[in-house]
Amino acid sequence: MSVHSHNHDHPHDHAGHGHSHGHGADARRLGIALGVTATFMVVEIIGGLVSGSLALLSDAGHMASDVAALALSLFAVRFARRPATPERTYGFYRVEILAAFVNAAALLLLTLWILWEAYGRLSDPPEVQGGVMLAVAVAGLVANLVSAAVLHGGQRDSLNVRGAFLHVLGDLLGSVGAIVASLLVLGTGWTVADPLVSALIGLLILRSAWGLLLDSLNVLLEGAPKGLDVRAVRATLGSVPGVRGVHDLHVWAITAGQPVLTAHVEVAGGVEVTEVLARARRTLRERHHLTHVTLQPEAEGQPCEDRDALHA
């Protein structure tokens, strides 16, 4: 007969506390970036209309989506701070992942529009005022550099902040591209440079947005955290003295940076179960940085009702 008990590693409580501090820092970053981006968006829209530049208008459109994306990300960070409830036992961390997914999808749609518009302008390039275009693009570059620098510190640990950072990075590339295009227009009169640069920027954004979409979808589908080898985790558990078998192993993430593991562990007869489980949790923490672990011990050779039901 199986021994049905759950054992949790206590350090995850401290990790949750640290995550709340991370949320506070993320909220400040997103708030600053939102203010800078919203202010300059108006300037760039006016500049794009006055100059007739697609590069500026596409960047302004991207900035408009950034305002929405940053606002969504800021809302998600604040909403994720809400405590867990009896109905939402893990809390609301997944709201951040949903925001990242929406931001990635919006980036993809916006990029497709830029590419389509650039294709139409290649055959019939409009008149572009290079001087106005250059002035607005340089100012946009400065604004985007400020926002990117603010968000850079939080984008490694949060998919939500990473989504916002990619939006701003796309704007930064757009500003660089607009500067290059305006210089070509001013120096050579080659107005085709404007849609060509826009298309190149669109392709660069497309690659980053696709990666973000896949990463956020992996979390939503409860796939194994990126960079974690589940086979190696299984081997680590199986190598712990006193463990005779491992099954029903599941590893997923509540949100970016918060992996969770559950497993059934067959424990050899004649050993102290609590010592084996404590050793297993300690080994998982040291080798794979897994701190939120639930292990269900079972007597060696005994059938598991949960396993039978799962594979029936």
Side-chain angles (χ1 to χ4, degrees), residues 44-54 56-57 126-134 136:
E44 196 158 41
I45 289 175
I46 294 173
L49 291 173
V50 171
S51 66
S53 166
L54 174 62
L56 280 184
L57 285 175
E127 189 68 28
V128 177
Q129 296 183 30
V132 176
M133 181 180 173
L134 178 61
V136 176

Side-chain angles (χ1 to χ4, degrees), residues 54-287:
L54 174 62
L56 280 184
L57 285 175
S58 63
D59 197 36
H62 193 193
M63 271 199 161
S65 74
D66 283 353
V67 171
L70 287 165
L72 176 63
S73 296
L74 183 57
F75 167 79
V77 166
R78 289 178 174 171
F79 195 84
R81 292 180 184 177
R82 297 177 63 178
T85 68
E87 294 77 23
R88 299 285 184 271
T89 55
Y90 276 123
F92 296 86
Y93 291 127
R94 282 286 173 90
V95 174
E96 291 188 273
I97 305 302
L98 284 172
F101 181 82
V102 171
N103 279 340
L107 272 172
L108 290 173
L109 292 174
L110 181 64
T111 301
L112 292 176
W113 175 81
I114 292 173
L115 293 174
W116 177 257
E117 190 69 16
Y119 175 77
R121 289 199 176 198
L122 283 174
S123 58
D124 186 23
E127 189 68 28
V128 177
Q129 296 183 30
V132 176
M133 181 180 173
L134 178 61
V136 176
V138 169
L141 177 62
V142 174
N144 288 319
L145 282 172
V146 172
S147 295
V150 169
L151 293 175
H152 185 265
Q155 60 98 17
R156 289 190 180 91
D157 299 322
S158 169
L159 284 179
N160 183 31
V161 177
R162 180 180 159 199
F165 176 76
L166 287 177
H167 270 275
V168 172
L169 185 62
D171 278 338
L172 196 153
L173 292 173
S175 296
V176 172
I179 291 173
V180 172
S182 63
L183 290 174
L184 287 172
V185 170
L186 285 172
T188 66
W190 191 44
T191 55
V192 171
D194 184 55
L196 280 177
V197 168
S198 298
L200 178 60
I201 294 167
L203 291 174
L204 292 173
I205 298 172
L206 191 67
R207 183 174 181 273
S208 296
W210 182 250
L212 176 62
L213 188 75
L214 293 180
D215 287 347
S216 56
L217 190 60
N218 182 62
V219 175
L220 292 174
L221 293 178
E222 298 191 342
K226 189 175 182 181
L228 184 67
D229 187 343
V230 178
R231 294 182 182 85
V233 171
R234 182 183 293 275
T236 296
L237 263 179
S239 68
V240 173
V243 173
R244 292 293 179 264
V246 177
H247 59 85
D248 290 336
L249 173 66
H250 301 284
V251 189
W252 71 98
I254 302 172
T255 186
Q258 290 200 54
V260 178
L261 179 146
T262 64
H264 291 205
V265 178
E266 294 182 33
V267 180
V271 299
E272 181 59 45
V273 173
T274 55
E275 290 182 5
V276 172
L277 296 180
R279 189 182 301 118
R281 293 196 303 273
R282 184 168 60 250
T283 303
L284 288 171
R285 183 172 65 248
E286 293 172 352
R287 296 188 187 179

Side-chain angles (χ1 to χ4, degrees), residues 6-54:
H6 296 277
N7 293 270
H8 298 273
D9 202 12
H10 296 292
H12 74 265
D13 294 331
H14 303 290
H17 186 256
H19 201 73
S20 66
H21 286 299
H23 278 178
D26 289 346
R28 287 191 295 275
R29 293 186 181 104
L30 290 166
I32 294 171
L34 177 60
V36 172
T37 304
T39 299
F40 189 76
M41 175 191 69
V42 178
V43 176
E44 196 158 41
I45 289 175
I46 294 173
L49 291 173
V50 171
S51 66
S53 166
L54 174 62

